[in-house]
Amino acid sequence: FALESQLDCIRRCQVNSAIRTPNSMRPLCDLSRDELVQWCHSHSQPAYRAAQIWRWLFGKRISNFESMCDVSGQCRQQLAQEFVLFSTKIVERRTARDRTEKLLVELCDGQHIECVLMRELGRRTVCISTQVGCAMGCVFCASGLLGLKRNLSTGEILEQVLQLDRLLERNEKITNLVVMGIGEPLANLQALIPALNALHDNFGLGLGARRMTVSTVGLPDKIREFANVGKPYTLAVSLHAPNDELRNELVAVNENIGIRSILEATDEYFKKTGRRVTYEYVLLSGINDQPTHAHQLIALLKPCNAHVNLIPMNLVESLSFDKPTERKAQQFADILNRGGITTTVRKRKGADIDAACGQLRLTQESSFRT
Ligand code: SAH
């Protein structure tokens, strides 16, 4: 088992070094706590150092290894020789009138991703990315317009949370996580699962699994794999249409999947984890927001234990889709609620800072290209 996990560690290093510039070092949060225990072992440090180091890394908002004052000087030096605290840097920070914050983050190979911090009464939610770009082909989404560049590593996923955590006041802390930024999270499960584990771990951020939501375009095999992790993470599926004909037009990958097989997989997710699945539905004016669509959606989801979250389309400059009026969105929600499907309309956060996923990166990449 130890050899297996060592090999795994080496394999991960190789994957990571493939995306790293020659002289850049591995971020410390890229290691799981078990891997850090092994590192301590091979550096003649006691195993309890791993927990100590993690407490500093995730809980104390430090900016250098020297600040880990109860970790021996020798150990801090060893850490500094092999790791960096951050491999990413913030290249732009936007703050909205509602105090939503959005970061444009540059990765070590010069690629960019986005992450967002949302503040609500008693709640601090972070929204993070899992890939550079996206291959799913949703026609209304800014994230996929430039295609998929690459997966993020576990460290790059976690660093977004750590960077956002450092924007908070001393007395504020992150209470919720949504994996709804750039990319398809379930297409990068191998990096996402260790990141979620670290955030869930009491020596990490200690976030409850139910407070972590992973949003997927709906990849049935990956939904099953995610269910087998055995934690009650909240799963949100981006449905956006009540039938395959319309969904094929809006979500390119649906051609090879189909709604039926997604619902079979989410049914298993519910049975295994006990978590009710949320279905996200972007309302596109005149396209999928008619009363007939709402009635079809009721028929489709009635047999499932479903919750629907309606998202009025966030306008993307280069795309011609529009959002419905607030009244029309509410009418759509009312039909669903009357039909026995619990439905909410998502509140818009950070409207004045391009906070919807992929928009800031898109602006950045296009300004590079012109
Ligand atoms: N790949 C994942 C995560 C995507 S982002 C998924 O498909 O779920 C999270 C949600 O935002 C998805 O439901 C996505 O379809 C939605 N979204 C993307 N672009 C949008 C836009 N312009 N307006 C409103 N919602 C959008």
Side-chain angles (χ1 to χ4, degrees):
F1 167 73
L3 180 67
E4 205 31 55
S5 65
Q6 259 176 14
L7 283 177
D8 222 86
C9 179
I10 293 167
R11 259 181 243 125
R12 282 213 307 137
C13 291
Q14 283 169 346
V15 170
N16 289 335
S17 63
I19 53 167
R20 196 162 293 144
T21 52
N23 53 5
S24 65
M25 287 198 283
R26 193 176 184 192
L28 186 57
C29 63
D30 207 35
L31 268 68
S32 69
R33 193 147 64 81
D34 284 348
E35 287 166 343
L36 196 54
V37 169
Q38 285 191 15
W39 181 90
C40 288
H41 185 68
S42 61
H43 289 71
S44 310
Q45 294 293 336
Y48 67 80
R49 284 258 183 274
Q52 249 179 339
I53 294 169
W54 258 38
R55 281 228 173 89
W56 282 106
L57 184 61
F58 289 97
K60 303 279 178 36
R61 300 172 186 164
I62 52 169
S63 49
N64 54 51
F65 293 119
E66 276 313 295
S67 312
M68 299 180 173
C69 57
D70 59 0
V71 174
S72 73
Q74 186 208 29
C75 182
R76 281 180 278 169
Q77 261 183 14
Q78 289 169 330
L79 286 172
Q81 275 163 11
E82 286 182 41
F83 302 105
V84 284
L85 265 186
F86 285 100
S87 67
T88 60
K89 63 173 193 255
I90 300 172
V91 287
E92 192 172 335
R93 174 181 173 182
R94 291 190 181 180
T95 307
R97 280 187 289 276
D98 63 9
R99 295 180 71 223
T100 296
E101 312 234 29
K102 178 158 202 167
L103 299 179
L104 183 68
V105 174
E106 188 169 294
L107 309 176
C108 59
D109 58 355
Q111 301 281 357
H112 295 95
I113 50 161
E114 298 172 18
C115 53
V116 181
L117 166 71
M118 291 164 282
R119 291 177 158 100
E120 281 169 298
L121 213 64
R123 234 185 221 223
R124 300 291 176 268
T125 304
V126 293
C127 173
I128 58 169
S129 300
T130 50
Q131 298 183 307
V132 182
C134 185
M136 298 301 119
C138 302
V139 292
F140 47 83
C141 179
S143 300
L145 287 178
L146 303 175
L148 172 69
K149 294 283 187 298
R150 68 166 172 89
N151 279 340
L152 298 188
S153 65
T154 298
E156 287 169 333
I157 294 173
L158 283 171
E159 277 189 36
Q160 298 170 64
V161 180
L162 297 182
Q163 298 275 24
L164 291 166
D165 187 51
R166 278 158 173 75
L167 306 182
L168 292 171
E169 306 289 330
R170 191 188 275 268
N171 62 348
E172 292 180 292
K173 67 184 192 86
I174 294 171
T175 59
N176 296 71
L177 171 97
V178 294
V179 189
M180 295 188 182
I182 298 173
E184 169 49 42
L186 297 193
N188 189 13
L189 257 186
Q190 71 282 8
L192 178 65
I193 289 172
L196 295 180
N197 284 343
L199 297 171
H200 183 57
D201 192 314
N202 277 334
F203 291 98
L205 222 57
L207 274 185
R210 286 156 207 270
R211 289 168 177 259
M212 292 193 250
T213 302
V214 174
S215 175
T216 176
V217 74
L219 307 175
D221 292 346
K222 296 289 176 180
I223 290 174
R224 291 191 178 91
E225 206 178 317
F226 193 45
N228 286 334
V229 171
K231 292 263 164 59
Y233 294 121
T234 305
L235 182 71
V237 172
S238 298
L239 197 58
H240 307 324
N243 60 62
D244 278 325
E245 199 189 345
L246 183 54
R247 195 168 195 265
N248 289 346
E249 275 174 36
L250 300 178
V251 179
V253 288
N254 192 62
E255 291 258 15
N256 308 319
I257 301 173
I259 294 175
R260 192 48 54 204
S261 67
I262 297 175
L263 295 185
E264 278 164 21
T266 50
D267 194 40
E268 284 178 36
Y269 191 86
F270 174 62
K271 285 191 181 125
K272 279 224 166 101
T273 63
R275 293 297 286 154
R276 183 169 73 158
V277 175
T278 296
Y279 294 89
E280 293 160 288
Y281 193 104
V282 173
L283 287 172
L284 306 165
S285 178
I287 294 179
N288 65 354
D289 65 341
Q290 303 302 304
T292 54
H293 298 121
H295 290 292
Q296 281 180 32
L297 202 55
I298 295 170
L300 186 71
L301 296 181
K302 202 63 195 274
C304 320
N305 191 351
H307 168 245
V308 169
N309 193 215
L310 299 174
I311 319 172
M313 157 89 185
N314 289 315
L315 303 185
V316 178
E317 208 180 298
S318 53
L319 300 175
S320 56
F321 297 98
D322 206 354
K323 63 173 180 210
T325 60
E326 262 179 50
R327 218 184 94 233
K328 279 206 89 176
Q330 195 51 54
Q331 280 170 354
F332 197 89
D334 290 344
I335 299 176
L336 291 177
N337 276 315
R338 277 200 301 273
I341 310 281
T342 316
T343 304
T344 45
V345 182
R346 189 176 295 175
K347 272 181 279 163
R348 182 102 162 84
K349 305 279 294 174
D352 49 324
I353 55 163
D354 279 352
C357 62
Q359 302 208 51
L360 189 53
R361 169 174 175 261
L362 193 65
T363 320
Q364 166 86 11
E365 304 296 325
S366 10
S367 64
F368 268 134
R369 285 183 306 159
T370 50

